[in-house]
Amino acid sequence: MAMLEAVETENALSFAEDSVAASAAHPVTGYKAFELGAFKLSRDEYFARIEWPAKGEQRSHLIPADAFLRSVMRDVAWGFFYGWVNFDHVFGTRNHYGKVDMYAGTFNGVLKAAGVDYTEQFETPLIMATFKAILRDWTNAGFDPFAAPSETGTAFGRKNGNNIEAIERFRVATRRMPGLEGDSPLRDDLPVNRQFADVAQDEPEVHAAEGFEGQLHAFSLYKYLSRSDVSWNPSVTSVCRTSLFCPTTEEFVLPIVHGNDRIEWFLQLSDEIVWDIGDKDDGNPRARITMRAGDICAMPADIRHQGYSTKRSMLLVWENATPNLPQRYESGELKPYPVEF
Amino acid sequence: MKREQPCRGSTDARGLNRVVRVSRTVISPRLALLAQGTRLNVEPLKHKNNRATTMSTQPAFKTVFGSLEHYTKGSIELVTGKKSHYAFSNIFEVAAQSAPYEKVVVGLNLGYVIEAIRAEGTSAWFACSHDEFVISVDGSLRIDFLKLDLPPASGDGTQLAGELPKGRPMGYVLLKRGHQALLPAGCAYRFEASNACVLLQQTVQGPLSIEKWADICLK
């Protein structure tokens, strides 16, 4: 996700790499374990294990390794994104744009009420460096955490090589529109995804008058999306002040449950996605929304959502990147939904 | 352990395993796939390691886009709260009920808008003090551009540029479905569509933006 704050995160990252607390490789599984504040993170053949202290005892939570790595991949690639990135109903991160909360159970109604939850805040470069180190160590050869399950191999088993290429993909940071001189590139070099083989590949015709060469600009957005080599990864394709069009191609399940600190909008460009909507604070279900081509709807600022897409589909995610929005929603100055009628 | 063997390790094995499992359960693999609602590719499935799994008997994936004539609106299954808080509409339905070049707001985010526009015939000349973008989501469109002698210096959103705005012709762009064009700040532009076409415009709420949420949204 190409946000202004994400660029800063990237720049600051190199300073924190030395601060990552990693163990030696486990003699049996071959994986390193990591510590981040009072959190302990480790993995075995099947699961990522997260441990934290609460009520004088050590608490723990397991997440299947494939789901965990898909979630970490998004959190890293998006620079912790907007608001809450729930890996599942227990564990996740909240972006404070410079600092990041890591929590276990804090946004689960039952665990929170029982007092067994835990939150710790970290400087963004430290948690980012630790997450990147986890991704590098725990992603085996043949597993691409950015791909849909039918496109890639297994995340399970003991340590077996790595897939640095897959987890170090260049992030698209668009200033105005892809394909403009000095802006992010088009995707002519990437192959068309197997599930978009029927998407037209012709580009628009641009006929600039003499003297205006390079000032008119158009490209095929659907062609561009058909060549996306990752799933569930909003990338900016047009910038109108702080209004960002961030389309992405979706297949299988959104690997995180996103609770935004602002309103965002979804416009389904092709096929179909089902969204599970829950309360942002305690996770209780609120709605299930089916979106088909042409449907547009708001994701209010007080919900969390997770999408399901059987066929790879094209989704326009529309964000307002204005910096002070979280405070304005939290203070009640702004209502959590966009319009009243 | 034995049954899991084909699943382990390589991506090929995963793909093959899936096909074998499906064709075992029912007599016709094609029927089985249709029954599941699964759409699979006729092309060999290329994996990251460049080896292929042959799936030649299966139907191709069909990408479903909407159009003025064919769209299927989705739905909200509500547990708690109000449907109206999701401001759920369908841009093809909106465009089907709009006058040509009516700029209907279908997305509003603190002054920023997405407008759904039915393009049909020739539009007025528009101009804007900031960049705007347009995507054709159904049909073909021509956009003519003028470098204005007196570009709008301020103001939010799309403005009318007058009947014969003064400026130099910059050229034109031809869009088809799925094509996106930049509408650069300070230029005038005019749309022309011989057949009805549906556009999405990314801009700021302006004097021409029309809000009619109660008419277009699920309640």
Side-chain angles (χ1 to χ4, degrees):
Chain A
M1 177 75 197
M3 294 183 291
L4 301 176
E5 58 269 25
V7 176
E8 286 164 20
T9 303
E10 193 88 331
N11 293 340
L13 184 59
S14 52
F15 297 109
E17 269 172 5
D18 296 341
S19 314
V20 174
S23 73
H26 188 277
V28 177
T29 65
Y31 296 110
K32 292 177 184 170
F34 296 83
E35 283 185 16
L36 191 54
F39 281 102
K40 291 185 173 132
L41 298 115
S42 58
R43 79 155 283 184
D44 59 24
E45 287 87 338
Y46 279 127
F47 304 108
R49 169 184 285 267
I50 299 144
E51 293 167 85
W52 67 93
K55 283 186 159 176
E57 286 179 32
Q58 198 73 347
R59 311 281 165 171
S60 66
H61 180 61
L62 300 185
I63 302 177
D66 59 339
F68 182 84
L69 290 169
R70 286 189 188 106
S71 301
V72 186
M73 182 75 255
R74 297 325 185 278
D75 221 4
V76 165
W78 300 341
F80 299 102
F81 211 38
Y82 297 101
W84 291 256
V85 172
N86 300 285
F87 285 35
D88 64 359
H89 60 296
V90 173
F91 179 74
T93 61
R94 182 188 178 184
N95 198 355
H96 294 282
Y97 313 101
K99 291 181 191 303
V100 175
D101 288 345
M102 193 156 120
Y103 55 80
T106 311
F107 298 95
N108 176 304
V110 175
L111 297 183
K112 174 83 178 163
V116 297
D117 66 300
Y118 179 71
T119 303
E120 191 169 339
Q121 190 167 83
F122 303 100
E123 297 290 332
T124 299
L126 175 64
I127 183 171
M128 176 60 89
T130 305
F131 273 21
K132 281 196 130 182
I134 290 172
L135 254 188
R136 272 196 292 270
D137 190 63
W138 293 3
T139 303
N140 288 322
F143 180 65
D144 179 353
F146 244 140
S150 70
E151 294 181 299
T152 187
T154 179
F156 300 129
R158 292 176 183 171
K159 176 84 178 146
N160 168 30
N162 55 47
N163 195 354
I164 302 299
E165 193 188 331
I167 61 176
E168 294 284 347
R169 282 192 179 91
F170 178 73
R171 184 169 43 228
V172 178
T174 299
R175 291 180 184 84
R176 198 178 183 198
M177 178 167 159
L180 282 168
E181 200 181 327
D183 214 325
S184 63
L186 299 178
R187 292 178 175 157
D188 294 355
D189 295 342
L190 292 173
V192 178
N193 187 279
R194 74 212 191 284
Q195 294 205 8
F196 288 133
D198 61 340
V199 173
Q201 297 293 309
D202 60 317
E203 291 284 358
E205 289 181 37
V206 178
H207 300 271
E210 210 180 309
F212 292 104
E213 294 86 356
Q215 292 192 36
L216 301 185
H217 185 58
F219 79 123
S220 172
L221 177 67
Y222 289 0
K223 171 187 170 185
Y224 180 87
L225 292 175
S226 74
R227 292 165 184 258
S228 165
D229 63 339
V230 290
S231 63
W232 308 100
N233 186 42
S235 301
V236 179
T237 53
S238 51
V239 180
C240 175
R241 295 184 185 158
T242 55
S243 154
L244 307 179
F245 272 18
C246 317
T248 148
T249 63
E250 320 297 51
E251 186 179 338
F252 191 51
V253 183
L254 172 59
I256 60 126
V257 190
H258 183 213
N260 207 336
D261 55 17
R262 61 197 71 207
I263 291 170
E264 68 187 312
W265 288 74
F266 292 155
L267 199 163
Q268 193 71 35
L269 293 171
S270 83
D271 307 292
E272 178 179 317
I273 293 180
V274 174
W275 294 98
D276 266 343
I277 314 288
D279 183 279
K280 189 165 75 180
D281 292 322
D282 62 24
N284 285 334
R286 280 203 190 174
R288 197 170 159 79
I289 296 184
T290 301
M291 297 185 73
R292 305 206 180 94
D295 288 340
I296 177 168
C297 89
M299 292 288 125
D302 58 352
I303 61 101
R304 63 176 80 174
H305 59 262
Q306 183 171 40
Y308 301 76
S309 184
T310 298
K311 181 190 170 295
R312 202 174 190 93
S313 64
M314 298 183 184
L315 174 72
L316 173 60
V317 176
W318 181 39
E319 296 281 0
N320 183 338
T322 304
N324 64 344
L325 293 184
Q327 295 75 28
R328 294 175 68 192
Y329 282 109
E330 275 202 356
S331 69
E333 178 202 337
L334 298 174
K335 290 194 169 138
Y337 44 89
V339 283
E340 232 158 340
F341 57 89
Chain B
M1 279 305 281
K2 267 186 187 170
R3 287 182 55 205
E4 285 181 324
Q5 284 294 325
C7 283
R8 300 181 77 191
S10 79
T11 51
D12 288 21
R14 284 173 69 88
L16 277 170
N17 185 57
R18 193 168 156 208
V19 176
V20 169
R21 204 178 49 212
V22 169
S23 55
R24 266 182 198 156
T25 43
V26 196
I27 299 164
S28 158
R30 196 186 178 89
L31 272 178
L33 292 167
L34 287 172
Q36 289 180 346
T38 312
R39 290 149 286 193
L40 293 171
N41 204 344
V42 275
E43 296 296 319
L45 236 178
K46 296 265 194 226
H47 292 297
K48 301 287 178 210
N49 58 11
N50 288 329
R51 280 179 286 173
T53 305
T54 305
M55 292 181 155
S56 57
T57 57
Q58 291 155 348
F61 289 99
K62 181 167 169 29
T63 302
V64 178
F65 294 106
S67 68
L68 267 178
E69 280 79 32
H70 295 102
Y71 61 88
T72 315
K73 199 172 179 176
S75 59
I76 301 176
E77 299 164 52
L78 204 66
V79 181
T80 56
K82 281 184 172 179
K83 285 188 184 179
S84 62
H85 289 172
Y86 299 95
F88 187 117
S89 67
N90 181 287
I91 56 170
F92 300 110
E93 184 178 69
V94 170
Q97 296 165 3
S98 297
Y101 300 107
E102 196 182 352
K103 290 160 72 70
V104 183
V105 179
V106 291
L108 175 64
N109 200 334
L110 302 172
Y112 293 113
V113 289
I114 296 179
E115 295 167 342
I117 299 166
R118 175 196 185 93
E120 195 170 19
T122 306
S123 76
W125 283 99
F126 300 112
C128 191
S129 66
H130 51 78
D131 279 349
E132 300 175 287
F133 299 87
V134 70
I135 302 166
S136 166
V137 283
D138 174 28
S140 300
L141 180 82
R142 174 181 164 127
I143 314 173
D144 283 277
F145 293 88
L146 284 178
K147 189 83 179 174
L148 287 174
D149 293 345
L150 282 172
S154 62
D156 286 344
T158 313
Q159 306 171 26
L160 286 170
E163 231 164 90
L164 285 168
K166 282 188 181 168
R168 288 171 294 154
M170 298 174 74
Y172 64 97
V173 166
L174 301 177
L175 301 187
K176 290 184 191 166
R177 184 178 72 187
H179 292 176
Q180 172 180 322
L182 167 67
L183 307 171
C187 300
Y189 57 88
R190 185 177 67 181
F191 302 125
E192 199 178 327
S194 45
N195 296 309
C197 170
V198 181
L199 308 179
L200 287 180
Q201 191 158 357
Q202 178 188 15
T203 183
V204 181
Q205 194 165 21
L208 305 176
S209 306
I210 294 169
E211 286 186 85
K212 46 178 177 183
W213 301 102
D215 298 336
I216 64 173
C217 290
L218 294 179
K219 288 188 281 287

